[in-house]
Amino acid sequence: MKEYNYCPICGTPLQVGMIEGRERKYCPKCDFIDYKNPLPVALAVAVKDKRFLLIKRGMPPRKGMWGAPSGFIESGETPEEACLRELKEETGISGKIVKLIGAVRREDKEIYGDMLVVKYLVKVKSGKLIPGDEVEDARFFDIAELPVYYVNLLKDVIEEIQNEEVF
Ligand SMILES: [Zn+2]
């Protein structure tokens, strides 16, 4: 994580002090306080015929690993919109949000630091599988061949899908 040493607004060297119960950097000249907030990420657990759509990451962090399509929520976007946009960008597939699975904290020590990951269950609607620019590969996995860490993270959802007619 990159740190501010100078005020990004007026360029004054930042100082450290107790502000609202935490040690934070602040600008002694203007009102800037360097609050640390998690980056918001939307993630798609995309399913078709009881198979899960995963991507092989082409960029750090976790380059070369298989995982769910995901990405940062942009300003002006709802988390649902971000989820479906990332799914489309990374796999070429259009989907429909079924429900919110949950929101969890993740820490990426490589680049991004603290993240708030909002996970949605998505039903695949249409589209041809085309891995996006930032993705090495994209394909559907049977439940039996899913990576172990993916199963551990999504145990409840996977169980639910196994027993649901709609998927
Ligand atoms: Zn300032």
Side-chain angles (χ1 to χ4, degrees):
M1 284 288 281
K2 286 197 176 125
E3 292 272 337
Y4 285 127
N5 290 314
Y6 295 90
C7 176
I9 297 162
C10 75
T12 304
L14 294 178
Q15 297 187 0
V16 177
M18 280 301 280
I19 298 167
E20 293 167 45
R22 272 196 194 211
E23 211 166 70
R24 305 176 200 272
K25 288 184 179 174
Y26 69 96
C27 177
K29 209 167 170 186
C30 72
D31 288 335
F32 176 76
I33 299 170
D34 188 13
Y35 288 107
K36 298 289 188 204
N37 305 108
L39 287 167
V41 172
L43 179 147
V45 177
V47 184
K48 187 189 181 188
D49 302 329
K50 302 197 192 293
R51 303 181 84 211
F52 291 72
L53 179 51
L54 269 58
I55 53 117
K56 190 175 187 184
R57 297 183 57 87
M59 305 245 281
R62 301 183 314 283
K63 188 177 187 302
M65 280 180 78
W66 287 94
S70 67
F72 294 115
I73 302 169
E74 309 245 20
S75 292
E77 216 177 27
T78 66
E80 290 88 351
E81 285 166 350
C83 174
L84 296 178
R85 173 182 55 73
E86 290 289 347
L87 175 66
K88 179 84 181 166
E89 283 175 11
E90 294 191 338
T91 68
I93 296 290
S94 297
K96 183 177 177 281
I97 302 271
V98 177
K99 68 167 189 177
L100 174 69
I101 296 170
V104 293
R105 174 178 176 257
R106 284 276 170 276
E107 194 182 352
D108 167 43
K109 292 200 167 78
E110 270 182 79
I111 306 172
Y112 296 115
D114 241 40
M115 297 185 290
L116 176 72
V117 183
V118 186
K119 300 178 188 178
Y120 291 98
L121 181 57
V122 175
K123 197 172 159 71
V124 169
K125 275 200 323 200
S126 59
K128 204 175 155 211
L129 260 181
I130 306 163
D133 292 343
E134 299 179 357
V135 161
E136 276 178 33
D137 201 0
R139 71 173 182 91
F140 285 93
F141 283 68
D142 287 326
I143 288 171
E145 58 172 356
L146 285 170
V148 174
Y149 59 88
Y150 187 90
V151 175
N152 288 340
L153 283 175
L154 295 159
K155 216 169 230 156
D156 294 348
V157 188
I158 292 168
E159 233 165 69
E160 187 183 325
I161 285 159
Q162 254 171 326
N163 302 320
E164 282 265 0
E165 290 290 320
V166 275
F167 298 102

